[in-house]
Amino acid sequence: MSDTPNALFIKGVLDALPLIIGGIPFGIIFGTLSLNAGLDIWQTIGMSSIVFAGSAQFVAVGMLAAGTSLGFIVGATLIVNLRHLIYAASLLPHVKHLPQRWRIPLGFLLIDEVYAATYPHYLNNPQSDRNHWHYFGVGAAFFVSWNLATLVGIFFGANIEGIANWGLDFAMSATFIGMVMPHLINKPMIAGVLTSAALAILTHSLPHKIGLVISSIIGMAVGYSLEQWLRSKEQS
Amino acid sequence: MNENIPANAPLEINIWLMIALMAVVTFGIRYALYARANAVSLPTRLEQALKYSAPCVLTAIWVPAVLFPQGELALNLNNPYLVGAAIAVVIGLWKKNILLTIVTSMLCFFAYKWLIL
Protein backbone atom coordinates (compact mmCIF):
# COMPACT_ATOMS: atom_id res chain seq x y z
CA MET A 1 0.00 0.00 0.00
CA SER A 2 1.39 3.41 -0.96
CA ASP A 3 -1.62 5.06 0.65
CA THR A 4 -0.64 4.42 4.28
CA PRO A 5 -0.10 7.50 6.49
CA ASN A 6 3.59 6.60 6.85
CA ALA A 7 4.20 6.19 3.12
CA LEU A 8 2.38 9.45 2.37
CA PHE A 9 4.31 11.32 5.06
CA ILE A 10 7.63 10.09 3.65
CA LYS A 11 6.58 10.95 0.10
CA GLY A 12 5.76 14.44 1.39
CA VAL A 13 9.21 14.79 2.91
CA LEU A 14 10.82 13.67 -0.37
CA ASP A 15 8.65 16.02 -2.45
CA ALA A 16 9.74 18.89 -0.20
CA LEU A 17 13.46 18.35 -0.79
CA PRO A 18 13.86 20.36 -4.03
CA LEU A 19 12.38 23.50 -2.45
CA ILE A 20 14.28 22.95 0.78
CA ILE A 21 17.47 23.42 -1.24
CA GLY A 22 16.41 27.02 -1.83
CA GLY A 23 15.16 27.39 1.73
CA ILE A 24 18.39 26.45 3.50
CA PRO A 25 20.64 29.35 2.39
CA PHE A 26 17.69 31.67 2.95
CA GLY A 27 17.29 30.38 6.54
CA ILE A 28 21.01 30.74 7.16
CA ILE A 29 21.06 34.34 6.00
CA PHE A 30 17.97 35.07 8.08
CA GLY A 31 19.78 33.82 11.18
CA THR A 32 22.79 36.06 10.53
CA LEU A 33 20.76 39.15 9.56
CA SER A 34 18.48 38.78 12.53
CA LEU A 35 21.40 39.03 14.95
CA ASN A 36 22.66 42.08 13.03
CA ALA A 37 19.24 43.71 13.32
CA GLY A 38 19.35 43.50 17.11
CA LEU A 39 17.44 40.32 17.92
CA ASP A 40 19.09 37.95 20.38
CA ILE A 41 19.55 34.22 19.79
CA TRP A 42 16.27 33.17 21.44
CA GLN A 43 14.28 35.85 19.64
CA THR A 44 15.74 34.68 16.34
CA ILE A 45 14.87 31.04 17.11
CA GLY A 46 11.45 32.19 18.31
CA MET A 47 10.77 34.09 15.10
CA SER A 48 11.60 31.11 12.89
CA SER A 49 9.64 28.61 14.96
CA ILE A 50 6.61 30.67 16.03
CA VAL A 51 6.10 32.97 13.03
CA PHE A 52 7.50 30.54 10.43
CA ALA A 53 7.24 32.90 7.45
CA GLY A 54 10.51 33.33 5.54
CA SER A 55 9.88 36.44 3.48
CA ALA A 56 7.94 38.22 6.25
CA GLN A 57 10.74 37.47 8.74
CA PHE A 58 13.24 38.83 6.25
CA VAL A 59 11.20 41.99 5.69
CA ALA A 60 10.64 42.44 9.44
CA VAL A 61 14.31 42.27 10.44
CA GLY A 62 15.16 44.64 7.58
CA MET A 63 12.57 47.14 8.82
CA LEU A 64 13.73 46.70 12.40
CA ALA A 65 17.32 47.45 11.38
CA ALA A 66 16.05 50.57 9.60
CA GLY A 67 14.31 51.71 12.80
CA THR A 68 10.71 51.21 11.63
CA SER A 69 7.91 51.23 14.17
CA LEU A 70 6.01 48.16 15.37
CA GLY A 71 2.72 48.99 13.63
CA PHE A 72 4.36 49.20 10.23
CA ILE A 73 6.24 45.94 10.75
CA VAL A 74 3.06 44.07 11.67
CA GLY A 75 1.24 45.75 8.76
CA ALA A 76 3.97 44.65 6.36
CA THR A 77 3.69 41.11 7.76
CA LEU A 78 -0.01 41.17 6.93
CA ILE A 79 0.55 42.34 3.36
CA VAL A 80 3.50 40.05 2.68
CA ASN A 81 1.59 37.00 3.94
CA LEU A 82 -1.79 37.82 2.47
CA ARG A 83 -1.01 35.56 -0.47
CA HIS A 84 -1.32 32.58 1.89
CA LEU A 85 -5.04 33.24 1.95
CA ILE A 86 -5.31 32.08 -1.65
CA TYR A 87 -3.40 28.90 -0.83
CA ALA A 88 -5.84 28.24 2.01
CA ALA A 89 -8.76 28.94 -0.32
CA SER A 90 -7.59 26.46 -2.91
CA LEU A 91 -6.87 23.74 -0.32
CA LEU A 92 -10.14 24.41 1.50
CA PRO A 93 -12.16 21.62 -0.17
CA HIS A 94 -9.40 19.15 0.75
CA VAL A 95 -9.21 19.92 4.47
CA LYS A 96 -12.96 20.23 5.08
CA HIS A 97 -13.32 16.65 6.29
CA LEU A 98 -10.50 16.97 8.84
CA PRO A 99 -10.96 17.67 12.56
CA GLN A 100 -9.53 20.89 14.04
CA ARG A 101 -6.55 19.04 15.52
CA TRP A 102 -5.44 18.58 11.90
CA ARG A 103 -6.55 21.92 10.50
CA ILE A 104 -4.61 23.94 13.07
CA PRO A 105 -1.15 22.47 12.33
CA LEU A 106 -1.89 22.32 8.59
CA GLY A 107 -2.81 26.02 8.67
CA PHE A 108 0.31 26.89 10.62
CA LEU A 109 2.49 25.07 8.05
CA LEU A 110 0.89 26.71 4.99
CA ILE A 111 3.86 28.53 3.40
CA ASP A 112 4.61 29.07 -0.30
CA GLU A 113 6.84 26.06 -0.66
CA VAL A 114 4.50 23.71 1.21
CA TYR A 115 1.62 24.73 -1.02
CA ALA A 116 3.77 24.38 -4.13
CA ALA A 117 4.92 20.89 -3.12
CA THR A 118 1.67 19.38 -1.82
CA TYR A 119 -1.01 20.86 -4.07
CA PRO A 120 0.10 18.83 -7.12
CA HIS A 121 -0.13 15.70 -4.97
CA TYR A 122 -3.76 16.51 -4.17
CA LEU A 123 -4.52 17.05 -7.85
CA ASN A 124 -2.87 13.76 -8.83
CA ASN A 125 -4.57 11.69 -6.12
CA PRO A 126 -8.13 12.98 -5.91
CA GLN A 127 -9.48 9.61 -4.75
CA SER A 128 -7.44 9.47 -1.52
CA ASP A 129 -8.77 10.97 1.72
CA ARG A 130 -5.37 10.64 3.43
CA ASN A 131 -3.53 13.30 1.43
CA HIS A 132 -3.22 15.41 4.56
CA TRP A 133 -0.41 13.06 5.58
CA HIS A 134 1.50 14.20 2.49
CA TYR A 135 0.77 17.86 3.29
CA PHE A 136 1.94 17.24 6.86
CA GLY A 137 5.13 15.52 5.64
CA VAL A 138 6.01 18.45 3.37
CA GLY A 139 5.24 20.96 6.12
CA ALA A 140 7.15 19.11 8.84
CA ALA A 141 10.20 18.73 6.57
CA PHE A 142 10.11 22.46 5.86
CA PHE A 143 9.60 23.43 9.47
CA VAL A 144 12.56 21.33 10.62
CA SER A 145 14.88 22.46 7.82
CA TRP A 146 13.95 26.14 8.22
CA ASN A 147 14.70 26.07 11.94
CA LEU A 148 17.93 24.10 11.52
CA ALA A 149 19.05 26.57 8.85
CA THR A 150 18.25 29.45 11.21
CA LEU A 151 20.40 27.81 13.90
CA VAL A 152 23.26 27.41 11.44
CA GLY A 153 22.85 31.07 10.52
CA ILE A 154 22.97 32.13 14.16
CA PHE A 155 26.12 30.09 14.68
CA PHE A 156 27.79 31.38 11.48
CA GLY A 157 26.66 34.92 12.10
CA ALA A 158 28.30 34.89 15.50
CA ASN A 159 31.49 33.10 14.40
CA ILE A 160 32.26 33.74 10.74
CA GLU A 161 33.37 37.20 9.79
CA GLY A 162 31.75 38.65 6.69
CA ILE A 163 29.17 35.92 6.03
CA ALA A 164 26.60 38.64 5.49
CA ASN A 165 28.50 39.53 2.31
CA TRP A 166 28.48 36.05 0.82
CA GLY A 167 25.25 36.75 -1.02
CA LEU A 168 23.26 33.91 0.54
CA ASP A 169 20.22 36.15 0.37
CA PHE A 170 20.17 35.55 -3.38
CA ALA A 171 18.55 32.19 -2.52
CA MET A 172 15.33 34.03 -1.65
CA SER A 173 15.21 35.81 -4.99
CA ALA A 174 16.09 32.58 -6.86
CA THR A 175 13.29 30.70 -5.07
CA PHE A 176 10.72 33.43 -5.70
CA ILE A 177 11.67 33.72 -9.38
CA GLY A 178 11.38 29.93 -9.67
CA MET A 179 7.88 30.09 -8.19
CA VAL A 180 6.65 33.10 -10.21
CA MET A 181 7.83 32.21 -13.72
CA PRO A 182 5.54 29.18 -14.27
CA HIS A 183 2.52 31.49 -13.68
CA LEU A 184 3.40 33.78 -16.59
CA ILE A 185 1.26 32.00 -19.16
CA ASN A 186 -1.54 34.48 -19.87
CA LYS A 187 -1.83 38.22 -20.53
CA PRO A 188 -3.53 39.32 -17.28
CA MET A 189 -0.93 37.54 -15.12
CA ILE A 190 1.98 38.91 -17.17
CA ALA A 191 0.52 42.44 -17.01
CA GLY A 192 -0.06 42.19 -13.24
CA VAL A 193 3.43 40.90 -12.50
CA LEU A 194 5.13 43.47 -14.79
CA THR A 195 3.12 46.26 -13.13
CA SER A 196 4.21 45.09 -9.69
CA ALA A 197 7.82 44.87 -10.85
CA ALA A 198 7.84 48.39 -12.34
CA LEU A 199 6.08 49.94 -9.33
CA ALA A 200 8.36 48.12 -6.90
CA ILE A 201 11.33 49.83 -8.57
CA LEU A 202 9.68 53.26 -8.67
CA THR A 203 8.48 53.11 -5.06
CA HIS A 204 11.66 51.58 -3.67
CA SER A 205 12.70 54.74 -1.84
CA LEU A 206 9.42 55.07 0.07
CA PRO A 207 9.73 54.23 3.77
CA HIS A 208 8.09 51.42 5.76
CA LYS A 209 7.76 48.99 2.83
CA ILE A 210 4.85 51.10 1.58
CA GLY A 211 6.22 50.47 -1.91
CA LEU A 212 5.74 46.72 -1.46
CA VAL A 213 2.12 47.26 -0.46
CA ILE A 214 1.36 49.69 -3.29
CA SER A 215 3.02 47.63 -6.01
CA SER A 216 1.43 44.36 -4.86
CA ILE A 217 -2.10 45.74 -4.68
CA ILE A 218 -1.95 47.70 -7.95
CA GLY A 219 -0.39 44.70 -9.73
CA MET A 220 -3.24 42.48 -8.52
CA ALA A 221 -5.81 45.08 -9.57
CA VAL A 222 -4.29 45.37 -13.04
CA GLY A 223 -4.25 41.60 -13.53
CA TYR A 224 -7.80 41.15 -12.27
CA SER A 225 -9.19 44.12 -14.28
CA LEU A 226 -7.52 42.97 -17.47
CA GLU A 227 -8.94 39.47 -16.95
CA GLN A 228 -12.46 40.92 -16.49
CA TRP A 229 -12.05 43.22 -19.49
CA LEU A 230 -10.82 40.42 -21.78
CA ARG A 231 -13.72 38.26 -20.64
CA SER A 232 -16.34 40.95 -21.31
CA LYS A 233 -14.82 41.61 -24.73
CA GLU A 234 -15.06 37.91 -25.52
CA GLN A 235 -18.73 37.84 -24.58
CA SER A 236 -19.73 40.88 -26.58
CA MET B 1 23.18 44.66 3.06
CA ASN B 2 21.97 45.63 6.48
CA GLU B 3 23.43 48.35 8.56
CA ASN B 4 24.73 47.20 11.88
CA ILE B 5 22.99 49.16 14.54
CA PRO B 6 25.04 49.97 17.59
CA ALA B 7 24.19 48.05 20.73
CA ASN B 8 23.14 51.23 22.49
CA ALA B 9 20.71 52.32 19.76
CA PRO B 10 17.31 53.21 21.16
CA LEU B 11 15.27 50.09 20.41
CA GLU B 12 11.83 51.18 21.54
CA ILE B 13 10.26 48.07 20.06
CA ASN B 14 9.57 45.17 22.35
CA ILE B 15 10.85 42.39 20.12
CA TRP B 16 8.91 39.57 21.76
CA LEU B 17 5.73 41.59 21.34
CA MET B 18 6.64 42.09 17.67
CA ILE B 19 7.21 38.33 17.25
CA ALA B 20 3.92 37.53 18.98
CA LEU B 21 1.96 39.97 16.79
CA MET B 22 3.65 38.71 13.63
CA ALA B 23 2.78 35.15 14.67
CA VAL B 24 -0.86 36.04 15.32
CA VAL B 25 -1.20 37.86 11.98
CA THR B 26 0.56 35.11 10.04
CA PHE B 27 -1.32 32.21 11.61
CA GLY B 28 -4.57 34.16 11.39
CA ILE B 29 -4.22 34.54 7.62
CA ARG B 30 -3.34 30.88 7.08
CA TYR B 31 -5.92 29.42 9.45
CA ALA B 32 -8.88 31.80 8.99
CA LEU B 33 -10.46 29.84 6.17
CA TYR B 34 -9.59 26.40 7.58
CA ALA B 35 -11.20 27.36 10.90
CA ARG B 36 -14.68 27.28 9.43
CA ALA B 37 -13.93 25.20 6.36
CA ASN B 38 -17.44 23.72 6.27
CA ALA B 39 -19.19 27.07 6.28
CA VAL B 40 -16.88 29.25 4.19
CA SER B 41 -17.03 29.90 0.49
CA LEU B 42 -15.15 32.83 -0.97
CA PRO B 43 -16.87 35.28 -3.32
CA THR B 44 -15.83 34.41 -6.86
CA ARG B 45 -14.50 37.92 -7.53
CA LEU B 46 -12.22 37.78 -4.51
CA GLU B 47 -11.01 34.33 -5.49
CA GLN B 48 -10.20 35.57 -9.00
CA ALA B 49 -8.30 38.59 -7.64
CA LEU B 50 -6.39 36.54 -5.05
CA LYS B 51 -5.00 34.39 -7.86
CA TYR B 52 -2.72 37.36 -8.66
CA SER B 53 -1.61 37.81 -5.08
CA ALA B 54 1.33 35.37 -4.85
CA PRO B 55 3.02 36.25 -8.18
CA CYS B 56 2.60 40.01 -7.60
CA VAL B 57 3.77 40.03 -3.97
CA LEU B 58 6.72 37.74 -4.64
CA THR B 59 7.73 39.91 -7.62
CA ALA B 60 7.47 43.09 -5.57
CA ILE B 61 9.92 41.46 -3.14
CA TRP B 62 12.50 39.94 -5.47
CA VAL B 63 12.75 42.72 -8.09
CA PRO B 64 14.00 45.39 -5.64
CA ALA B 65 16.13 42.74 -3.88
CA VAL B 66 18.15 42.10 -7.05
CA LEU B 67 18.17 45.69 -8.39
CA PHE B 68 19.06 47.39 -5.10
CA PRO B 69 21.25 44.78 -3.37
CA GLN B 70 23.17 47.42 -1.39
CA GLY B 71 20.33 49.93 -1.19
CA GLU B 72 21.21 51.79 -4.38
CA LEU B 73 20.15 51.00 -7.93
CA ALA B 74 22.80 48.72 -9.47
CA LEU B 75 21.78 48.26 -13.10
CA ASN B 76 25.12 46.93 -14.32
CA LEU B 77 27.14 43.76 -14.82
CA ASN B 78 29.02 44.29 -11.58
CA ASN B 79 25.83 43.30 -9.79
CA PRO B 80 25.81 39.49 -9.44
CA TYR B 81 22.25 39.58 -8.06
CA LEU B 82 21.03 41.08 -11.33
CA VAL B 83 22.97 38.58 -13.44
CA GLY B 84 21.78 35.63 -11.32
CA ALA B 85 18.18 36.85 -11.45
CA ALA B 86 18.31 37.30 -15.23
CA ILE B 87 19.51 33.70 -15.56
CA ALA B 88 16.77 32.52 -13.19
CA VAL B 89 14.10 34.36 -15.20
CA VAL B 90 15.28 32.83 -18.49
CA ILE B 91 15.48 29.28 -17.10
CA GLY B 92 12.19 29.68 -15.23
CA LEU B 93 10.31 30.88 -18.31
CA TRP B 94 11.94 28.28 -20.51
CA LYS B 95 11.77 25.12 -18.36
CA LYS B 96 9.10 26.10 -15.79
CA ASN B 97 10.93 23.86 -13.30
CA ILE B 98 11.40 25.36 -9.82
CA LEU B 99 14.30 23.16 -8.67
CA LEU B 100 16.25 23.63 -11.90
CA THR B 101 15.72 27.39 -11.71
CA ILE B 102 16.88 27.66 -8.09
CA VAL B 103 19.92 25.40 -8.37
CA THR B 104 21.21 26.67 -11.73
CA SER B 105 20.77 30.35 -10.93
CA MET B 106 22.40 29.96 -7.50
CA LEU B 107 25.39 28.16 -8.99
CA CYS B 108 25.69 30.87 -11.67
CA PHE B 109 25.31 33.59 -9.04
CA PHE B 110 28.11 32.26 -6.81
CA ALA B 111 30.40 31.48 -9.76
CA TYR B 112 29.85 34.95 -11.23
CA LYS B 113 30.31 36.64 -7.86
CA TRP B 114 33.61 34.77 -7.42
CA LEU B 115 34.74 35.62 -10.97
CA ILE B 116 34.19 39.37 -10.81
CA LEU B 117 35.83 39.79 -7.40
Side-chain angles (χ1 to χ4, degrees):
Chain A
M1 274 291 281
S2 62
D3 191 34
T4 63
N6 265 340
L8 284 171
F9 182 86
I10 289 168
K11 182 166 188 303
V13 172
L14 294 177
D15 285 348
L17 290 179
L19 285 163
I20 284 177
I21 290 175
I24 285 174
F26 187 17
I28 292 176
I29 195 67
F30 169 74
T32 62
L33 286 184
S34 175
L35 294 186
N36 278 344
L39 276 73
D40 67 27
I41 290 177
W42 288 108
Q43 289 162 340
T44 303
I45 294 171
M47 179 106 87
S48 276
S49 58
I50 304 169
V51 181
F52 188 49
S55 47
Q57 290 175 225
F58 209 69
V59 167
V61 296
M63 292 172 84
L64 198 61
T68 310
S69 70
L70 183 62
F72 280 110
I73 295 179
V74 176
T77 304
L78 179 76
I79 294 298
V80 170
N81 286 337
L82 205 52
R83 63 187 189 277
H84 296 148
L85 202 58
I86 190 63
Y87 305 157
S90 71
L91 284 166
L92 201 55
H94 307 286
V95 301
K96 255 184 178 164
H97 66 290
L98 299 170
Q100 291 294 347
R101 70 183 150 79
W102 268 102
R103 290 188 212 165
I104 291 169
L106 291 184
F108 176 76
L109 294 170
L110 189 58
I111 60 170
D112 299 281
E113 289 91 340
V114 170
Y115 176 76
T118 201
Y119 193 59
H121 177 84
Y122 274 91
L123 296 182
N124 294 332
N125 301 277
Q127 77 293 345
S128 170
D129 60 355
R130 290 179 181 166
N131 287 333
H132 50 286
W133 282 99
H134 182 274
Y135 182 164
F136 186 59
V138 173
F142 244 96
F143 185 79
V144 170
S145 67
W146 178 248
N147 282 284
L148 287 179
T150 303
L151 285 177
V152 172
I154 291 170
F155 177 79
F156 280 3
N159 293 293
I160 299 181
E161 197 69 26
I163 188 173
N165 300 322
W166 286 9
L168 291 172
D169 50 332
F170 179 71
M172 176 185 78
S173 301
T175 305
F176 286 0
I177 295 171
M179 291 195 289
V180 170
M181 292 306 128
H183 288 285
L184 301 181
I185 46 173
N186 57 55
K187 282 177 191 159
M189 189 61 88
I190 293 171
V193 164
L194 286 179
T195 305
S196 290
L199 287 174
I201 298 167
L202 292 174
T203 59
H204 177 72
S205 57
L206 296 180
H208 311 310
K209 294 283 166 190
I210 292 171
L212 171 62
V213 180
I214 295 174
S215 28
S216 304
I217 291 174
I218 297 183
M220 285 170 67
V222 166
Y224 175 74
S225 310
L226 186 60
E227 181 187 325
Q228 297 300 311
W229 185 72
L230 288 174
R231 193 170 296 174
S232 69
K233 218 176 65 169
E234 231 167 60
Q235 282 164 355
S236 61
Chain B
M1 187 76 49
N2 267 31
E3 289 168 4
N4 280 307
I5 51 166
N8 59 359
L11 263 185
E12 302 92 352
I13 294 184
N14 179 326
I15 291 182
W16 282 113
L17 177 65
M18 177 189 88
I19 293 172
L21 290 175
M22 286 178 69
V24 168
V25 165
T26 303
F27 179 70
I29 293 167
R30 293 175 185 166
Y31 178 65
L33 292 177
Y34 285 6
R36 294 174 40 81
N38 303 309
V40 175
S41 68
L42 285 185
T44 336
R45 282 167 164 271
L46 182 61
E47 216 166 295
Q48 285 169 343
L50 280 175
K51 183 170 68 192
Y52 296 95
S53 151
C56 289
V57 175
L58 295 177
T59 298
I61 295 174
W62 75 255
V63 168
V66 302
L67 281 177
F68 303 84
Q70 317 290 337
E72 282 150 40
L73 183 63
L75 200 58
N76 56 59
L77 290 176
N78 290 324
N79 176 2
Y81 290 82
L82 184 60
V83 174
I87 291 167
V89 166
V90 170
I91 298 171
L93 286 175
W94 178 33
K95 295 289 186 186
K96 307 220 185 293
N97 177 321
I98 299 178
L99 176 63
L100 188 75
T101 306
I102 296 172
V103 172
T104 315
S105 67
M106 277 173 58
L107 288 176
C108 291
F109 169 82
F110 288 116
Y112 188 76
K113 195 167 184 291
W114 182 74
L115 272 176
I116 61 170
L117 274 181

